[in-house]
Amino acid sequence: MRIEKLDESTKKNLLEDLLKRSPNSYGKYEESVRQILDDVKEKRDEAVFAYTKKFDGVEISASNILVTDEEVQDAYKEVGEELLGIIRKALKNIESYHAKQMQYSWFDSRPDGTILGQKVTALQRVGVYVPGGKAAYPSSVLMNIMPAKVAGVDEIIMVTPPGKDGKVTPTTLVAAKEAGADKVYKVGGAQAVAALAYGTESIPKVDKIVGPGNIYVALAKKAVYGHVSIDSIAGPSEILVLADETANPRYVAADLLSQAEHDEMASAILVTTSMELAEKVSAQTDEFIKELSRGEIIQKSLDNYGHILVAETLEDAIEAANEIASEHMEIVTANPFEVMTKIRNAGAIFIGEYSSEPLGDYFAGPNHVLPTNGTAKFFSPLSVDDFIKKSSIISYSRDALEKIHTDIEKFAEAEHLTAHANSIRVRFDGK
């Protein structure tokens, strides 16, 4: 990995480099995505079936697009008891963590007859997109469905691309069943997003779409936002390790590569105060790459977006980490909890040398759907909050309104909204 001294120039260049990975930079794909969306909106099932044949090489129809109970049972037989047990342990941790995020309706009643409050309501129907194809992501299934279940969503619809055999990956199906998906449809890509957003003869329209996908999925979600809600427009995965001379270079190198293996656009960054650690980590990554199955992808990822930045002070390192606002941040320093208090911007923060990033991906409980491309400065991880909405409650008695009605009327008149003022005044004009 390249080693650079951290200064304003290297930080500026790095931030500009990382921004190139944003889905907002892929305008050349938008026209083809828009065509798919328009086709599905107009032709509905017909377009979904045609695009599935074109992109996935699979013939689907109204008779086989929905996963059957028999297919789910077959999936359980293929997955086996050991992995099923692990999925259930992870699910329990995820459910327990998200249960603590629950919000409830509240009401504040006063003696004068004023009642103010907030009504919390779960969304009625949510669509969950799960990537398919060559890879299986049961962890993504759990992370996207469980907070919706905890929130109390009435119906959870999952879509995922079928394999060449026309089937859904067994681990994906088992995870969906365990987490509580109500229906699973064999469709992926932008056409699946369109089907969820607009509805077809086979797939019902949803209120919100969540879940990661490729650039076509990300741009499709961006395009349908406003017609339905979405969680976020996710970019490539990223990790930043903030370390001092006390860190174990072997651990740090392993953790950086855990994200670099996702794809060639993934970002892996070490910010450290120790040149000795920087050199050891760089050497160790080279050794690991020789052993790992996705070594070619990892190498391209590091060549494109891998950086080791050496800072003069820990304060400089922390400032850089906050500017980068990484999806995953590991703190491996002499006093990691103290450093954590100074971190403003990160999707998930992993503290200490035994809290490596994959712990969060699979098992600990916090959600692994996280803000990317610097959006951790203003976005949060996927949570129960994403699956609820809030309504304000306002109730005044005549006595309560009478005390303040002239104030409201004057306020409305100051804005030249006389009908607003009249709406209050008529209740006290004696007619």
Side-chain angles (χ1 to χ4, degrees), residues 17 40 56 68 70 96 99 110 123 134 136 172 179 231 233 279 339-340 365 368-369 376 401:
D17 199 35
V40 173
D56 298 307
T68 64
E70 184 180 359
S96 176
R110 299 173 187 171
L123 301 185
K134 297 177 182 178
T172 298
D231 51 351
I233 305 168
E279 292 170 347
V339 172
M340 180 270 293
H368 78 196
V369 181
L401 183 61

Side-chain angles (χ1 to χ4, degrees), residues 35-54:
Q35 182 64 56
I36 294 170
L37 297 178
D38 289 344
D39 283 350
V40 173
K41 188 175 183 180
E42 180 183 349
K43 300 176 183 176
R44 306 172 75 193
D45 267 359
E46 179 188 344
V48 170
F49 301 156
Y51 281 118
T52 302
K53 183 177 181 180
K54 178 180 179 180

Side-chain angles (χ1 to χ4, degrees), residues 2-13:
R2 76 196 82 174
I3 300 175
E4 303 168 277
K5 192 170 183 178
L6 176 63
D7 56 30
E8 286 303 315
S9 176
T10 56
K11 186 165 64 175
K12 180 175 181 290
N13 291 338

Side-chain angles (χ1 to χ4, degrees), residues 125-136:
R125 182 186 290 137
V126 167
V128 175
Y129 187 95
V130 176
K134 297 177 182 178

